[in-house]
Amino acid sequence: MSTSVRDLACQEIVELVTEYLEGTMDGGLRAAFEAHLAGCAACSRYLEQIEATIRIAGTVRADALSDELRAGLLEAFRGFAPGPGKEET
Ligand SMILES: [Zn+2]
């Protein structure tokens, strides 16, 4: 069991992306964040979208623009989340 890098849920990535981009995240959490990104295409894509939007907007104020992307990401997770609890209507 690793103590230096803990597992992050996709929900946490969404919550932490602003801190990550602003560089206010501490080293251990940053490592966990990047480890999650490396293994999660959805979160990688989410981060790319945020970064692209920030490039266009010229600001790192991701909190001001992430609500829509956040909603879209969570929507995507609902679509391909494996295992029990998958809703198919
Ligand atoms: Zn993820």
Side-chain angles (χ1 to χ4, degrees), residues 25-78:
M25 188 177 280
D26 74 62
L29 187 56
R30 190 177 185 89
F33 190 99
E34 290 176 341
H36 181 104
L37 285 179
C40 183
C43 287
S44 300
R45 197 161 56 239
Y46 174 70
L47 184 62
E48 283 173 16
Q49 288 176 347
I50 296 277
E51 287 179 326
T53 308
I54 287 170
R55 269 198 300 278
I56 293 164
T59 175
V60 75
R61 288 199 51 78
D63 57 322
L65 55 83
S66 60
D67 278 1
E68 195 176 329
L69 288 171
R70 190 176 293 195
L73 181 68
L74 294 174
E75 195 66 35
F77 289 150
R78 213 167 297 142

